Amino acid sequence: QQQVKQSPQSLIVQKGGISIINCAYENTAFDYFPWYQQFPGKGPALLIAIRPDVSEKKEGRFTISFNKSAKQFSLHIMDSQPGDSATYFCAAGRNSGNTPLVFGKGTRLSVIA
Amino acid sequence: EAGVVQSPRYKIIEKKQPVAFWCNPISGHNTLYWYRQNLGQGPELLIRYENEEAVDDSQLPKDRFSAERLKGVDSTLKIQPAELGDSAVYLCASSLSDQPQHFGDGTRLSIL
């Protein structure tokens, strides 16, 4: 199975709050899980990525949590800001980056003041 | 470092017409991808190149789509003839060996 399921489809968060987006995958061969951020009219930009040998990775306000046994991973955005308003895509792939990524359907995040 | 450059940014054509998209990857990146992104969806792979060789084109509709990557650098993606369902954003991405993929801003195609 190649599917990556992402939820929620849309999310509204107050400024300063925590945004949480969840993803689940089926193919146990996947070993690379990036998150991309996309603004309107722009291409996806890599935000943060994780491999299954760690359960959490943090970069600034962005944290990935990974549960290998449940085949789930999530993105947490701490202290969410209006500038974080964008569409977020989780993805899964193999061998780091140079194999095709399977993307979720995206989550449209709106951070309101 | 310049990013992935795509042109044109927008293209409007009538159905049954041909159309072509161009991609210039990041310098030195040996792997190039074409993805299609339908409205409200995530990108889906069409074709992947390792240098000049197409190594994964199973999702490319070969009856109307074609692609080439001359000299292992720039790439073009062509549709002939275009159908209404081809309206989408066509994204190009590139990567170096086992490094993450970097995307261009895409070509938004509208079929009338």
Side-chain angles (χ1 to χ4, degrees):
Chain A
Q1 294 295 330
Q2 295 291 310
Q3 193 173 18
V4 174
K5 295 182 180 180
Q6 183 172 347
S7 63
Q9 189 173 8
S10 62
L11 182 61
I12 300 174
V13 174
Q14 291 277 352
K15 179 182 176 181
I18 302 174
S19 304
I20 301 175
I21 305 171
N22 301 299
C23 281
Y25 64 98
E26 298 177 357
N27 189 344
T28 56
F30 290 143
D31 61 2
Y32 174 69
F33 303 91
W35 285 88
Y36 281 81
Q37 179 188 57
Q38 187 175 32
F39 292 103
K42 297 293 187 180
L46 180 66
L47 198 59
I48 186 173
I50 196 169
R51 293 186 171 281
D53 53 345
V54 296
S55 59
E56 186 175 282
K57 183 175 181 179
K58 183 176 181 179
E59 291 184 0
R61 296 185 294 109
F62 301 92
T63 300
I64 300 179
S65 297
F66 185 82
N67 186 330
K68 186 175 181 179
S69 61
K71 293 187 287 186
Q72 295 176 348
F73 57 110
S74 61
L75 175 69
H76 292 62
I77 305 175
M78 311 299 288
D79 186 27
S80 298
Q81 299 297 312
D84 297 330
S85 298
T87 300
Y88 293 80
F89 292 96
C90 63
R94 293 179 291 157
N95 300 328
S96 178
N98 66 338
T99 57
L101 294 172
V102 179
F103 284 83
K105 292 187 175 183
T107 296
R108 178 172 289 186
L109 172 65
S110 298
V111 181
I112 56 176
Chain B
E1 177 183 77
V4 176
V5 179
Q6 291 188 246
S7 67
R9 289 298 318 278
Y10 305 93
K11 190 72 176 179
I12 302 174
I13 62 171
E14 294 185 343
K15 64 181 181 181
K16 300 184 180 180
Q17 295 300 305
V19 64
F21 316 123
W22 175 80
C23 173
N24 179 233
I26 293 173
S27 178
H29 282 196
N30 57 317
T31 307
L32 184 145
Y33 316 74
W34 283 102
Y35 288 85
R36 177 168 58 188
Q37 185 175 24
N38 292 312
L39 187 64
Q41 302 291 316
E44 295 179 330
L45 181 77
L46 290 173
I47 189 168
R48 174 170 69 103
Y49 282 91
E50 290 288 345
N51 299 305
E52 305 87 5
E53 183 182 2
V55 296
D56 189 345
D57 63 354
S58 58
Q59 302 302 312
L60 189 72
K62 298 182 182 62
D63 57 335
R64 298 184 300 107
F65 286 66
S66 64
E68 61 182 5
R69 189 182 185 196
L70 298 177
K71 300 181 181 179
V73 182
D74 294 0
S75 177
T76 56
L77 177 68
K78 298 179 181 178
I79 308 174
Q80 182 172 9
E83 297 180 353
L84 291 175
D86 295 331
S87 294
V89 175
Y90 290 83
L91 294 164
C92 179
S94 69
S95 67
L96 175 62
S97 299
D98 61 349
Q99 298 302 306
Q101 298 175 34
H102 296 267
F103 284 81
D105 287 336
T107 296
R108 182 177 295 276
L109 175 65
S110 297
I111 311 295
L112 302 179

